[in-house]
Amino acid sequence: MKRNLLVAMTLFAGLAMAQTNPGTTISVQLVRNATLLLEYGGKKILVDPMLSPKGVMESWAGIEKNPTVDLVVPIHQIVEDLDLVLVTHVHPDHFDDAASKVLDKSIRLINQPADKTFFEKRGFSNASVLDDHILWNTISITRIDAQHGSGEVLEMMGKTSGFVLKAENQPTVYIVGDAIWTDEVKSTIKNFNPDYIIVNSGGAYIQGFDATPIIMDEAQTMDLIGHSGKAKVIAVPMDALDHCRTTRKSLKQKAAEFNIGTDKLIIPQDGEKIILSL
């Protein structure tokens, strides 16, 4: 009896360690644009998959077709052994036809309420709407409303979201999504006190509304950094879409003006993996 109890306790302890083991690798890899691969809480999570080859989508700024660069991470490597897909919204630069075709339709997928019908029509049988918060495999996921522009442009762009991920022995990660700098973003940083903020800093715009960015640009990214507290800021997506005016080079130049170093602002290359720590 004592032996059986000892075995049971050992197995339970092993399971608990597997769920919360602080030695598990925690990382984020920029695939391209806003597409990310996270190793978090012992799970492999894909965010906003845009998997099309270079140049198969229309131009959104009249410059060149999108995406403007090829994938540097092979698609099979992106999708193999996936545990979860997180989708902030379904504009084609965040979830494209290529992703719909290549992803297993039974994959666990979490999306915002506005996109429920989109995934139903495409046959994703394990897609679920996240209104606010869910605990999934020991990972707390909170959806945050995002503002994809302002004024008339905001009405055109529709609903978008961000996500905050928290788990025991894991850094708190705030994926801002397609958003401009707002009080909502500021309060989210204050409330969750994240260790990492992944911000879409491409300075994108819509033709005819050049003065109204639909995601953060250099100046707004500096505002975010000024309110980021202890967090390290990881800036994407740049140099992948023709309507994104902020480049890696221009963001680095703006950061230098504010004396912001690479210990605070990380601007990854496509394919680059960043190890996250508490």
Side-chain angles (χ1 to χ4, degrees):
M1 179 69 178
K2 289 183 178 179
R3 183 178 181 276
N4 290 340
L5 180 60
L6 179 60
V7 170
M9 291 176 64
T10 302
L11 288 172
F12 179 81
L15 177 60
M17 285 297 291
Q19 292 176 334
T20 61
N21 183 3
T24 302
T25 300
I26 313 161
S27 66
V28 58
Q29 182 179 25
L30 172 60
V31 175
R32 181 185 58 186
N33 190 47
T35 304
L36 308 169
L37 278 173
L38 280 83
E39 296 286 348
Y40 190 89
K43 303 297 181 182
K44 182 178 178 181
I45 302 171
L46 176 63
V47 180
D48 284 358
M50 179 184 71
L51 304 179
S52 293
K54 176 183 177 181
V56 302
M57 298 182 190
E58 64 181 334
S59 167
W60 297 317
I63 300 171
E64 61 180 302
K65 289 187 175 181
N66 292 299
T68 60
V69 294
D70 280 315
L71 286 168
V72 298
V73 182
I75 288 180
H76 71 85
Q77 185 176 319
I78 296 169
V79 302
E80 67 184 359
D81 299 324
L82 275 181
D83 296 298
L84 175 68
V85 179
L86 284 176
V87 182
T88 63
H89 65 299
V90 293
H91 290 168
D93 54 331
H94 292 261
F95 195 94
D96 61 3
D97 289 341
S100 186
K101 291 174 182 177
V102 75
L103 287 172
D104 187 329
K105 291 298 192 293
S106 65
I107 187 70
R108 184 75 166 92
L109 188 151
I110 292 176
N111 56 273
Q112 64 176 358
D115 299 328
K116 181 176 185 291
T117 302
F118 177 93
F119 288 107
E120 287 178 346
K121 288 182 176 179
R122 283 155 183 79
F124 284 90
S125 60
N126 205 13
S128 60
V129 166
L130 182 58
D131 290 304
D132 179 34
H133 171 265
I134 189 173
L135 184 63
W136 173 79
N137 281 288
T138 75
I139 301 173
S140 167
I141 304 173
T142 302
R143 188 183 67 82
I144 308 295
D145 286 328
Q147 188 173 320
H148 202 353
S150 57
E152 184 181 354
V153 169
L154 178 59
E155 294 180 12
M156 296 166 61
M157 298 307 295
K159 298 287 187 179
T160 63
S161 297
F163 297 102
V164 176
L165 277 60
K166 296 183 67 175
E168 185 178 0
N169 296 320
Q170 308 286 297
T172 298
V173 178
Y174 176 20
I175 302 168
V176 179
D178 271 6
I180 59 172
W181 175 244
T182 62
D183 287 340
E184 177 80 12
V185 176
K186 187 189 300 184
S187 64
T188 299
I189 295 170
K190 182 178 180 181
N191 293 338
F192 286 91
N193 192 26
D195 299 286
Y196 292 89
I197 301 170
I198 303 174
V199 55
N200 292 358
S201 298
Y205 68 100
I206 296 176
Q207 282 185 289
F209 297 89
D210 293 13
T212 307
I214 57 176
I215 58 176
M216 293 187 216
D217 55 13
E218 298 94 338
Q220 290 191 14
T221 301
M222 296 304 109
D223 287 337
L224 180 145
I225 291 172
H227 292 82
S228 61
K230 67 178 182 181
K232 291 186 177 182
V233 176
I234 302 172
V236 303
M238 286 163 281
D239 305 319
L241 301 173
D242 78 329
H243 69 319
C244 288
R245 292 180 291 195
T246 299
T247 65
R248 290 180 175 95
K249 181 179 179 180
S250 68
L251 188 59
K252 288 177 182 177
Q253 289 173 339
K254 180 62 71 172
E257 293 175 17
F258 282 74
N259 295 314
I260 296 168
T262 55
D263 58 329
K264 183 64 175 180
L265 174 62
I266 302 168
I267 307 174
Q269 298 295 317
D270 290 356
E272 184 176 347
K273 181 180 288 190
I274 300 163
I275 302 301
L276 308 182
S277 59
L278 283 167

